[in-house]
Amino acid sequence: MSRQEKIRKAVRWGTVALVAVVVTLLVEPLLPMSQQQRERNIVSVEERHCFVLEANGNPVLYIQNLLSDWADWPLSVEGDSAACHTDTIEGCWADRFYGLPSCRGRVVIPDMSYAVDSVLRSVNANIKSFVEHQHSVMRRQEKKYTAMNEELDYYLEANNVTDEGYNTIATYATYVVKYKRRLAQALHVLDSLLPTDSLVLRRVCHNTVLLPVMDEQKRSSTPMQASDGQKLSSASAQSYIRIPCHDDASRSSLISSLSSLLSSRGYYRRIQTDDRKTPRGVCADFFARPQLDTAAYKAYAVRRDFPAFVYEGQTTNGQREGHGIFIDRLGNYYNGMWTGGQRNGFGSAIDSTGKVRVGEWKDDRFLGQRLTYTEERIYGIDISRYQHDIGKKHYAIDWSKVRISHLGTISKKRVSGTVDYPVSFCFIKATEGITIRNNYFAADYAAARRKGIRVGCYHFFSTKSSAAEQARFFIQHARFNRGDMPPVLDVEPTDAQIRAMGGPEAMFNRIRTWMKAVEKHCGQRPILYVGQNFVNKYLGYAPDIKRDYQVWIARYGEYKPDVRLAFWQLCPDGRVNGIVGTVDINVFNGYRDQYDDFLERYTIK
């Protein structure tokens, strides 16, 4: 064989080999992947996304949700991390060029931004009115959470860690404080926007490849972090290596562009790992596309409304049973025990208005908070002539022995330790109506002060006398020395007496007259003493009194009154060393720090 023939033969075989390679390169990508290759081609991608409001090209507010009320979702003015929502989606490793191993960390994922483009265009076309609407919603939410914060503060000031349910409320209060701060910051941003500002909303997205860690790598891998910075559980923390990604802006080949067009172009986008490396052991494919749920895709990130309610806890036969946490879209929250789908047993609840209820429940109805009585609480008594005159006999009070020894038997009480409590305060009846005086008032007042007990005086309100004359009579015969407790108006009318006065409005006008006159004289706002039934039936007629004056409530049940108060008269049949007969026992609504603050703010100056 001549040299030329050898060359021609080599060229022919070379051409055949080249054609075979080309054919292989063209045909091999068209062959379906095996199950193993498919598993190695699929990759999990964590997508963190939110929306950003820009003013004149500068980001001013980050929002997690686009169309729902922004106030219902995380907001941030400090960066998108606090507002981002995290989803895990399916992606596929993909080569850039047809037939060539050209992945370089390239991943194809569903293009969720494409799903909301039309919605963003619609919103941005009416951006001014859209932002104004969100601003008004956030203002209403601010008022709601301000009221809730006040209720939580009241509860936390009146209780401490020894009270059952305190930690649950303290945790929720921390959340409310953080939420209010974020809401205030967002409102400040919206308040500062000018009519001339150019506003636009756009979507922000961060992708991270979650690469499964091989068994031999688990011991040395660094635990992955959740989106909020918290470490994940040890089981999942050692399951993935996190590889940050960026959008792949490289120019595709003609064939790649055609492939994208034929594969529902617009429903997918390309990302690439920051290190531009394809991990070992994966299988890249030019035609790889993740499965796409078209319905879910189109609804993605457009609206994520709260469900009607969320429940996390124990169930039996589909009903809430045992311990569980419930929250609905109105903001009602409950953390406690359930029986047959209803709240039963101990639980902590906060309703949509911010009202805090911690205590015992029965058949979905709140019974009340059952206190544990300990020596840490602040106790006191209130007395009148009935602590001296019992039947036809007269008794003196031995103030050197005065000490609470029993909390009465009318209701059940949970006592820790032995009842042997000092008397920290004492309210003494001074007058009633415009003619009745307590003949023992002066002596008891002086003796209690010498004993070191904080003393206050009270007036029993008459429904038949002028309120102004009653105030003058009380001022004339009571005592208002520096350090004394605020004066008290004792109001205990029957329903018939209130009707005879002209109804609740007329009654409260008289109460206001008495309160203002006494306050003007002694320089301190009086306390209103009423019963629980009075609170339930009538106090709502006078929101200003409920708001501006402290309340002392008589309630002899086993549960603490479900209303803001300064003192609670918990029993009329207590026992006090040094006093013959039964005595009204009272407890201050709080502990030592709150009591010291009360004395500093409200005693006679």
Side-chain angles (χ1 to χ4, degrees):
M1 183 181 297
S2 67
R3 178 180 176 84
Q4 288 183 343
E5 289 178 343
K6 290 183 179 179
I7 293 175
R8 283 195 295 269
K9 186 177 181 180
V11 170
R12 283 196 301 269
W13 282 109
T15 301
V16 170
L18 179 61
V19 170
V21 170
V22 170
V23 170
T24 300
L25 292 175
L26 292 175
V27 174
E28 192 275 336
L30 298 175
L31 299 177
M33 290 188 293
S34 65
Q35 181 62 32
Q36 183 180 15
Q37 289 174 322
R38 174 64 180 165
E39 291 175 356
R40 290 162 56 196
N41 176 249
I42 297 174
V43 63
S44 293
V45 178
E46 180 187 87
E47 182 163 281
R48 297 172 56 247
H49 53 88
C50 68
F51 298 89
V52 58
L53 176 66
E54 294 183 347
N56 302 321
N58 298 313
V60 294
L61 182 62
Y62 298 89
I63 310 107
Q64 185 174 107
N65 188 272
L66 178 59
L67 292 184
S68 297
D69 292 340
W70 292 354
D72 290 337
W73 303 88
L75 298 166
S76 175
V77 300
E78 300 167 348
D80 58 18
S81 59
C84 274
H85 179 82
T86 301
D87 287 298
T88 301
I89 59 178
E90 180 182 292
C92 293
W93 297 104
D95 286 321
R96 179 184 175 189
F97 298 108
Y98 181 87
L100 297 177
S102 52
C103 179
R104 300 189 65 190
R106 195 166 181 258
V107 178
V108 174
I109 60 173
D111 185 7
M112 300 308 186
S113 62
Y114 182 82
V116 297
D117 281 349
S118 60
V119 179
L120 275 174
R121 285 194 295 269
S122 176
V123 169
N124 283 319
N126 302 278
I127 189 66
K128 297 282 187 181
S129 59
F130 185 77
V131 171
E132 288 174 359
H133 165 74
Q134 295 292 352
H135 182 259
S136 63
V137 171
M138 291 163 67
R139 278 292 176 206
R140 292 196 298 270
Q141 194 80 333
E142 182 186 41
K143 291 180 181 179
K144 170 185 171 180
Y145 274 82
T146 296
M148 182 181 293
N149 193 60
E150 291 175 355
E151 287 288 334
L152 291 167
D153 285 346
Y154 164 75
Y155 173 84
L156 295 174
E157 288 175 0
N159 297 270
N160 69 12
V161 293
T162 63
D163 295 308
E164 194 173 8
Y166 180 90
N167 289 333
T168 298
I169 299 300
T171 301
Y172 194 84
T174 301
Y175 158 76
V176 169
V177 169
K178 291 180 179 178
Y179 175 86
K180 272 196 66 185
R181 181 179 64 85
R182 291 198 303 267
L183 190 60
Q185 290 174 334
L187 281 168
H188 177 72
V189 166
L190 297 185
D191 288 340
S192 64
L193 295 177
L194 301 174
T196 57
D197 288 339
S198 174
L199 303 179
V200 66
L201 270 164
R202 64 180 181 84
R203 185 172 181 266
V204 177
C205 181
H206 305 284
N207 295 109
T208 303
V209 164
L210 304 179
L211 186 67
V213 178
M214 304 305 290
D215 290 340
E216 62 271 16
Q217 293 176 296
K218 287 186 177 181
R219 295 188 182 89
S220 60
S221 62
T222 302
M224 62 183 285
Q225 299 288 316
S227 59
D228 58 0
Q230 299 290 326
K231 284 188 176 181
L232 299 180
S233 63
S234 58
S236 60
Q238 296 182 357
S239 299
Y240 296 99
I241 293 176
R242 301 168 62 86
I243 306 176
C245 300
H246 60 272
D247 282 346
D248 179 17
S250 60
R251 189 175 295 178
S252 298
S253 66
L254 176 62
I255 299 178
S256 180
S257 298
L258 180 60
S259 171
S260 297
L261 181 63
L262 296 175
S263 304
S264 302
R265 184 180 183 184
Y267 284 144
Y268 300 99
R269 70 186 178 98
R270 301 181 306 275
I271 61 174
Q272 191 163 31
T273 59
D274 284 355
D275 59 9
R276 300 178 67 84
K277 293 180 180 179
T278 302
R280 286 184 300 175
V282 305
C283 179
D285 185 80
F286 180 74
F287 290 105
R289 295 292 182 271
Q291 292 183 351
L292 187 66
D293 184 340
T294 306
Y297 164 78
K298 291 181 178 179
Y300 181 87
V302 174
R303 183 174 294 276
R304 294 177 183 275
D305 288 329
F306 285 128
F309 67 87
V310 174
Y311 174 79
E312 294 183 2
Q314 298 170 311
T315 59
T316 299
N317 297 326
Q319 286 193 320
R320 296 187 281 274
E321 191 81 24
H323 180 266
I325 300 174
F326 170 94
I327 184 169
D328 65 19
R329 66 186 308 162
L330 298 177
N332 295 300
Y333 168 88
Y334 175 79
N335 183 341
M337 302 304 296
W338 301 79
T339 302
Q342 294 185 318
R343 291 172 288 188
N344 276 287
F346 185 85
S348 306
I350 303 168
D351 67 20
S352 57
T353 66
K355 180 69 176 179
V356 179
R357 290 186 171 93
V358 180
E360 295 183 12
W361 300 73
K362 183 175 177 60
D363 299 333
D364 232 25
R365 183 174 64 88
F366 182 62
L367 299 179
Q369 180 183 3
R370 189 194 300 272
L371 296 187
T372 299
Y373 297 97
T374 68
E375 61 183 10
E376 294 178 339
R377 296 191 179 275
I378 311 299
Y379 302 91
I381 60 175
D382 61 276
I383 60 174
S384 64
R385 72 177 181 87
Y386 296 107
Q387 275 63 53
H388 294 278
D389 297 334
I390 304 176
K392 295 183 178 180
K393 293 185 178 181
H394 168 76
Y395 299 92
I397 295 177
D398 186 349
W399 288 94
S400 65
K401 297 180 180 179
V402 167
R403 198 171 179 90
I404 298 171
S405 60
H406 199 279
L407 298 181
T409 58
I410 287 183
S411 64
K412 298 178 182 179
K413 296 178 178 66
R414 188 163 54 191
V415 177
S416 177
T418 303
V419 177
D420 182 23
Y421 308 139
V423 174
S424 297
F425 57 88
C426 176
F427 287 98
I428 307 171
K429 182 177 179 179
T431 55
E432 179 178 342
I434 57 174
T435 58
I436 300 174
R437 295 173 55 192
N438 175 12
N439 294 328
Y440 304 103
F441 169 74
D444 285 340
Y445 176 89
R449 281 179 62 90
R450 286 196 298 271
K451 174 70 173 175
I453 297 172
R454 292 279 184 168
V455 181
C457 45
Y458 72 89
H459 173 82
F460 190 91
F461 189 71
S462 170
T463 61
K464 298 180 179 180
S465 305
S466 162
E469 291 181 7
Q470 291 189 63
R472 285 193 292 270
F473 185 65
F474 174 70
I475 290 169
Q476 180 182 357
H477 297 289
R479 298 286 185 274
F480 309 101
N481 290 309
R482 184 176 182 180
D484 283 353
M485 288 291 199
V488 176
L489 179 62
D490 183 347
V491 180
E492 304 181 44
T494 64
D495 293 342
Q497 289 174 325
I498 293 175
R499 288 194 297 269
M501 294 174 69
E505 292 83 359
M507 173 187 64
F508 281 114
N509 284 335
R510 295 191 191 185
I511 291 174
R512 292 184 186 94
T513 297
W514 191 96
M515 294 285 208
K516 291 177 181 178
V518 173
E519 179 183 355
K520 183 177 180 181
H521 175 79
C522 69
Q524 192 60 262
R525 285 187 176 179
I527 296 173
L528 179 65
Y529 171 96
V530 290
Q532 182 70 63
N533 288 336
F534 184 94
V535 171
N536 296 341
K537 293 182 67 175
Y538 297 113
L539 197 56
Y541 287 92
D544 59 316
I545 291 178
K546 188 177 180 180
R547 179 189 65 239
D548 298 335
Y549 293 91
Q550 298 192 78
V551 178
W552 175 11
I553 295 180
R555 182 181 183 182
Y556 304 144
E558 56 191 295
Y559 300 109
K560 177 181 176 180
D562 187 23
V563 68
R564 291 196 183 195
L565 71 161
F567 300 97
W568 171 24
Q569 189 181 88
L570 56 96
C571 75
D573 60 337
R575 294 288 180 174
V576 178
N577 296 335
I579 301 179
V580 177
T582 59
V583 184
D584 295 340
I585 307 298
N586 302 273
V587 61
F588 174 75
N589 189 29
Y591 288 87
R592 176 57 58 182
D593 288 346
Q594 292 75 37
Y595 183 66
D596 290 343
D597 180 67
F598 176 90
L599 297 179
E600 177 67 25
R601 297 175 61 187
Y602 299 114
T603 53
I604 304 296
K605 302 298 187 284

